Structures are given as C-alpha cells and as structure tokens.
Amino acid sequence: MKYKILENPNYEETYDLIEEGLKKKATILLFACCRVSYEGRSLSELDYGERIIMMKPDGCFLIHQDNKVDPVNWQPPKSRPRAYIKDEILFLESHRRSPPERIEVEIKKVHYANYNLIEDYEELERAGYEKDMGDMIWDKPHIIEEGFRPTVREYATEHGFIDILGKDSKGNLMVLELKSRKAGITAVKQIRRYLTDFENKENSEIKAKNGQKQKIRGLLVAPSIGDDALELLEEEGIEFVSVEPPRELKKDKRVTLDSFG
Amino acid sequence: MKYKILENPNYEETYDLIEEGLKKKATILLFACCRVSYEGRSLSELDYGERIIMMKPDGCFLIHQDNKVDPVNWQPPKSRPRAYIKDEILFLESHRRSPPERIEVEIKKVHYANYNLIEDYEELERAGYEKDMGDMIWDKPHIIEEGFRPTVREYATEHGFIDILGKDSKGNLMVLELKSRKAGITAVKQIRRYLTDFENKENSEIKAKNGQKQKIRGLLVAPSIGDDALELLEEEGIEFVSVEPPRELKKDKRVTLDSFG
DNA sequence: AAGTCCATCTCGTAT
DNA sequence: ATACGAGGTGGACTT
C-alpha cells in the first residue's frame, strides 16, 4: 500500500501505522496533542499542545507548531526514529550519536495519522548564487569595467580564496571579492586582508622582477553595500562595483505531465 | 468545525477546503503532486513531484520534500496566501512585499488535504536563560564573589528592572545585570543607566539619611563579553564576572494531562 | 569525521 | 521599519 490514513486512531493503531511507515521508509505525518523533551546540543521542554509531527525517510524528525518557518523541535537526517508504548501511552523517539541528541514525544491524543511513500525525483534549481555571479563575470568581464581581464578564480592566499583575480586595461592587478547580497563590513575587511597578503607577496616576488611597484586595486562586487561598509571601503581605498547576481535559471528543463499519471 | 480531511479530493474540493481553512485561520496540510516556482530574494524552479505543503495561520508557507529538515521552498510569516483556479488547474500562491517574494504552486494531484484549528498555547522552554542564571545566583551568591548577599530581584528603576540588587561583604551596593549569552555594548550601557538612576536616588534619599556617600558597584554577569563592550565597561568602572548559564531544566512546572481532555 | 562558509538563512531584540 | 547578532543554525563542500 502506498499510503494509509487514520482519523482519531487510538494509541495502538497509531503505533502500528508508525511501525509500518518506518518499515516502508515512508514519510509519516501526525497531527496530535503531545509533549516534547529534547536533550543534546541544548535542552528544552515543550508542554502539551497540538502540533504537526513529521518523520521523513532520511531520518529527519520535525515538530511544527502553528507558527514560524522553523520547527519548534527537530532532529537532523540520519537520526534513528522509534515508537514505543509504555503504560498505555504512545511515545515517539528520535536519537542520534555524534553529537548525542534525543527527542522524546509523549503522545496524548492523535487527531489523524498517515504515512505516504513519496515519489519525488526532482531537485530544486536555483539562481542568484555567488558562484553564478562568478560565472557571469568570468564570461562577461566588461560587467566590471571595460578592459577588465579575469585570469584566476579562487586564488589561494594566506587568509582565504580571492574570488577573481585579473588585470585592468593598464595592466594593474585587480582583486575581486564577490557577494551575492548586500555587502557588509566583513567583506571590506576580507579584501583588506587579501590586499595585504598580496602586497607582501609582491614585495618579495613581483617587485624583484620588474623593479617597479605595481598598483593593486581591490574591488568589492555586490548588488549593494551597507553604509558602514561603504565608509570603511572608502577609507581603505577599495572600490565598489554594483552587480546584481544573475537572476535566471540556467537549464531549460522540461518534465512532461505524463510522468506523473 | 475544528478540522476537515479529504482523501483524493478533486481540484474544486481542494480549493474549497483551502478557502475555508484560510478563512478560519487554520493550519492547512496538503499532500500533493505539484510544481513550484519561487521568485524573490532568489529564484528557483521545482518540477513535478509529491510534496507536503503546509500553510500556517501566521502566513508561513512551507513545501517539504521527503528529506532534509528545511523546506525546499517557503515563505516567512505575514506572507499572504491565496488559492485560485485557472484552466481547471488549482494554483496556490504566497506573496509578500518588502522584500517582494512570491511562491506559486501548480497543483496536479491532491492525495489528501486537511485543515486544523490548532490549539497550542505553550512556548518552548529552554535551559540557559537569564532567569535560570538569576535563580542560580540567588541560591549560590558566592558564584559572584565571596560575601555577596543578594537582596532584591527585578528592582524597578526609571530605565527598567535591575536583575539582582545586593551588597558585598563591605556593605557596598551591587547592581547586577545578567546575560545568558555573550554580552554586548548594550548590556554595559544598561548598567550605566541603572547606576545613574541609583546615584540620583541616593543623592535625594539615602545620602540624606546617613550623610555619607555609599559606594555602588556595577556588575555585568555573562558567560563572555565582546571586545567593544569590554572597553566601554572598563571606561565606566563597571566590573565583569564570567558565569555560565545553568544547563539544566527545572522540573517544577507540571501540566496535568486533563487540560487537554 | 571535522572544519569552513553560504543562506530566499530564521528569529529575537534593540534602535 | 531597519540593523545586529545568535543559533540545537542547516546544508554544501573541502580536507
């Protein structure tokens, strides 16, 4: 059977449904009055109230109240779920090691319970990431400025990776730090560290070669920048270029309706 | 009616259920084959597959796949939900302004739909709160320093409540501000305000009594303190005492099962 | 397994 | 409203 639904089941019926659902690696949903204890990275108690309990086949365990996006209590994937009856009361448990964490749910009244073998073979396709910005700038460097030539991506320095390294039309070195969202003060500091790393390197290597000091330009590339960050950036002589992350999906994927008859 | 459940409803029945659920400010659950588009802070597409859709009365909109703790698509509280039918196809929508964001769900097949008026008046009780710290210090004042004697909790001043008021072994007044997490600059300013309030009071009342100026010590009690806060604290002549919040729950709270008959 | 960094982070709190 | 920081952050990716 692909699914099962029970309305107002007693604790034994609910127990059987959960056991069956777990065995079949189904996704289990309960709407029940329950009490929740959590102990692990933190410690919490939640007294009796009606909540939605979700147990996914990957081991996730979620308890949702009637507000908020986040569950009030949860366990991550690969946790071990279990149901048991003690003194005619149904308990749910989800446990994991490393770090040791345990949720215990005391079920008082189940309004409905169901499990479903979910058929879902699709993954979310997203746009607007930092990587997408990098791809876009790599492909169309004129977005930054006319004559910009990117040379290296993810260039390693002592303090981390420079997103894009390149040269401007005059041959000056350009250090680009990309942010897919509004840039903060930390982004400016990050560039400052990169520039310092580079100046040190330059002093020991590049300068030795051609005997003259090469200009290095630091660029913060983001859709926008915070006021405080802008202030620091100007102090530091770093430039800001406003670039919107690419807001388009790359693939033209099509799935026919027929595949879900 | 407090709840409603439909198995294998058609798109019109589902539409009616959702409309009714939204009107009643209920929590709506669907298990359905659907396609999801999101546009807002980012951009995403999710092709046909079976998912669990949750609409909460606070405006949250969640779409869960059969793995992960986080929903694959969602909208935050205060978003505006809507259901509509177009060309005999049911669509769900959740929209918000600022930032502009929209989810659109095309429903292909509903396996079951239900709404529930959830009764849940409990909030999660976590360990490590300020109150727990206060209890602990009240019970074991030597945690602060040898000879400390707490006298009042939640002492009202013009600018708010002083967490703990007491005296040291020499009879000096002590003003304690508790933070269960890393203390910031605001905590220092807060103590500064309390001290000012107290000095004013003292000048008008206490000093008149015994005719001599009494020393007042301000103490910030927290597991740790930020660098900027530390700097200000030293300037202000306020002291810092490192205290970890108690990581244990007090079990004095009991709710009888009868309250959810 | 442990560390690092991004996120439609969410969520609380203070301004 | 916006800004800032914490989180049982989660989740992807690297070492």
Side-chain angles (χ1 to χ4, degrees):
Chain A
M1 209 187 297
K2 194 175 169 295
Y3 73 99
K4 186 176 280 188
I5 306 182
L6 298 175
E7 280 188 57
N8 292 312
N10 63 34
Y11 68 93
E12 287 169 324
E13 291 165 335
T14 308
Y15 174 84
D16 290 341
L17 182 140
I18 291 169
E19 281 294 297
E20 196 177 324
L22 290 177
K23 203 169 292 170
K24 293 189 175 186
K25 293 253 168 207
T27 299
I28 299 166
L29 270 179
L30 301 178
F31 176 57
C33 177
C34 63
R35 195 164 72 98
V36 188
S37 306
Y38 160 76
E39 189 169 351
R41 284 172 289 178
S42 179
L43 195 60
S44 74
E45 283 286 343
L46 185 62
D47 251 312
Y48 295 102
E50 293 173 342
R51 286 122 204 175
I52 291 158
I53 301 166
M54 214 185 288
M55 301 163 84
K56 300 190 184 186
D58 69 344
C60 281
F61 191 105
L62 313 181
I63 298 164
H64 272 275
Q65 289 185 304
D66 61 353
N67 56 32
K68 310 283 171 64
V69 169
D70 288 349
V72 63
N73 281 113
W74 73 95
Q75 286 282 66
K78 292 177 188 168
S79 302
R80 294 294 179 80
R82 193 165 75 92
Y84 61 91
I85 292 170
K86 191 177 153 186
D87 298 334
E88 302 193 347
I89 295 170
L90 174 63
F91 288 87
L92 303 181
E93 182 193 69
S94 176
H95 175 268
R96 74 157 169 168
R97 303 188 164 95
S98 169
E101 291 190 293
R102 204 178 88 99
I103 281 186
E104 190 187 71
V105 184
E106 180 188 327
I107 304 288
K108 200 184 137 220
K109 166 87 185 99
V110 180
H111 300 296
Y112 71 78
N114 89 295
Y115 72 76
N116 282 282
L117 285 160
I118 291 187
E119 286 191 40
D120 186 359
Y121 313 106
E122 294 300 326
E123 285 189 13
L124 189 69
E125 228 184 299
R126 297 184 227 191
Y129 269 76
E130 213 170 286
K131 188 183 167 304
D132 298 319
M133 271 184 87
D135 293 344
M136 182 174 68
I137 292 166
W138 192 259
D139 293 340
K140 305 169 186 172
H142 65 271
I143 290 170
I144 299 302
E145 70 178 32
E146 215 49 58
F148 172 58
R149 286 167 296 136
T151 53
V152 191
R153 289 185 73 171
E154 301 299 330
Y155 180 90
T157 77
E158 194 183 335
H159 290 101
F161 291 86
I162 293 173
D163 290 325
I164 295 181
L165 210 55
K167 296 204 169 183
D168 68 12
S169 56
K170 294 174 184 170
N172 294 316
L173 210 51
M174 288 173 75
V175 172
L176 272 65
E177 172 65 23
L178 312 185
K179 293 289 169 197
S180 64
R181 295 177 302 168
K182 186 177 185 178
I185 214 157
T186 54
V188 181
K189 288 180 180 170
Q190 203 172 343
I191 298 179
R192 185 63 262 167
R193 284 196 296 272
Y194 293 154
L195 293 178
T196 307
D197 287 349
F198 236 90
E199 279 156 5
N200 292 342
K201 203 162 189 171
E202 184 208 16
N203 287 339
S204 59
E205 296 172 18
I206 306 172
K207 199 176 172 183
K209 280 188 195 167
N210 51 27
Q212 66 174 17
K213 196 156 168 59
Q214 186 188 27
K215 194 181 168 190
I216 306 181
R217 298 168 59 191
L219 275 84
L220 176 55
V221 182
S224 65
I225 182 168
D227 291 339
D228 48 353
L230 184 60
E231 199 175 325
L232 180 61
L233 174 131
E234 283 168 355
E235 280 177 26
E236 297 282 358
I238 295 167
E239 300 163 64
F240 172 68
V241 179
S242 176
V243 171
E244 289 293 326
R247 303 225 149 206
E248 52 186 272
L249 296 169
K250 285 175 191 166
K251 293 185 207 167
D252 192 58
K253 221 160 116 184
R254 289 264 173 273
V255 171
T256 61
L257 281 164
D258 304 324
S259 59
F260 277 93
Chain B
M1 207 188 298
K2 193 174 168 296
Y3 72 100
K4 187 177 280 190
I5 305 183
L6 297 176
E7 280 189 58
N8 292 311
N10 63 33
Y11 69 93
E12 288 168 323
E13 291 166 336
T14 308
Y15 174 84
D16 291 340
L17 182 139
I18 291 169
E19 281 294 298
E20 195 177 326
L22 289 177
K23 203 169 292 170
K24 294 191 175 184
K25 293 254 169 205
T27 299
I28 300 166
L29 270 178
L30 301 179
F31 176 57
C33 178
C34 63
R35 196 163 71 97
V36 187
S37 306
Y38 160 76
E39 189 170 349
R41 283 172 289 178
S42 181
L43 192 60
S44 75
E45 283 286 343
L46 184 62
D47 252 311
Y48 295 102
E50 293 174 342
R51 286 122 204 173
I52 292 157
I53 301 166
M54 214 185 288
M55 300 163 84
K56 299 189 185 187
D58 68 345
C60 282
F61 190 103
L62 313 181
I63 298 164
H64 273 274
Q65 289 184 303
D66 63 353
N67 55 32
K68 310 282 172 64
V69 169
D70 288 350
V72 62
N73 282 114
W74 73 95
Q75 286 280 68
K78 292 176 187 168
S79 303
R80 293 294 180 80
R82 192 166 74 93
Y84 60 92
I85 292 169
K86 191 178 153 186
D87 297 335
E88 302 193 344
I89 295 170
L90 175 62
F91 289 87
L92 303 182
E93 182 194 68
S94 176
H95 175 267
R96 73 157 170 167
R97 301 189 166 98
S98 173
E101 290 190 295
R102 203 178 88 99
I103 281 185
E104 189 186 71
V105 184
E106 180 188 327
I107 304 288
K108 200 181 136 221
K109 167 83 185 104
V110 179
H111 300 296
Y112 71 79
N114 87 296
Y115 72 75
N116 283 282
L117 286 160
I118 291 186
E119 286 191 39
D120 187 359
Y121 312 106
E122 294 299 327
E123 284 189 13
L124 189 67
E125 200 187 327
R126 291 186 226 189
Y129 267 66
E130 221 169 279
K131 188 181 169 303
D132 298 319
M133 272 183 84
D135 293 345
M136 182 173 68
I137 291 166
W138 192 260
D139 293 341
K140 304 171 187 172
H142 64 270
I143 289 170
I144 299 301
E145 69 176 35
E146 213 50 55
F148 172 59
R149 285 167 297 136
T151 52
V152 192
R153 290 186 72 170
E154 300 301 329
Y155 181 89
T157 76
E158 195 184 336
H159 289 102
F161 293 85
I162 294 173
D163 290 325
I164 295 181
L165 210 56
K167 297 204 170 185
D168 68 11
S169 58
K170 294 174 184 169
N172 295 314
L173 209 53
M174 288 172 75
V175 172
L176 272 64
E177 172 63 24
L178 313 184
K179 293 290 169 197
S180 65
R181 293 178 302 178
K182 186 177 183 178
I185 213 158
T186 54
V188 180
K189 287 178 180 170
Q190 202 173 343
I191 297 179
R192 184 64 262 166
R193 284 195 297 272
Y194 293 155
L195 292 179
T196 307
D197 286 349
F198 235 89
E199 280 157 5
N200 292 341
K201 202 161 189 172
E202 184 208 15
N203 286 340
S204 58
E205 295 175 18
I206 305 173
K207 199 175 171 183
K209 281 189 194 167
N210 50 27
Q212 65 173 17
K213 197 161 167 55
Q214 186 186 29
K215 193 181 170 190
I216 306 181
R217 298 169 58 191
L219 275 85
L220 176 55
V221 183
S224 65
I225 182 168
D227 291 339
D228 48 353
L230 185 60
E231 199 175 324
L232 181 61
L233 173 133
E234 283 168 354
E235 280 176 27
E236 297 283 358
I238 294 168
E239 300 162 64
F240 172 68
V241 179
S242 176
V243 172
E244 289 294 325
R247 282 181 65 92
E248 53 186 273
L249 282 180
K250 284 167 299 167
K251 294 284 185 176
D252 48 16
K253 206 169 149 189
R254 284 270 174 267
V255 171
T256 61
L257 282 163
D258 302 325
S259 59
F260 276 93

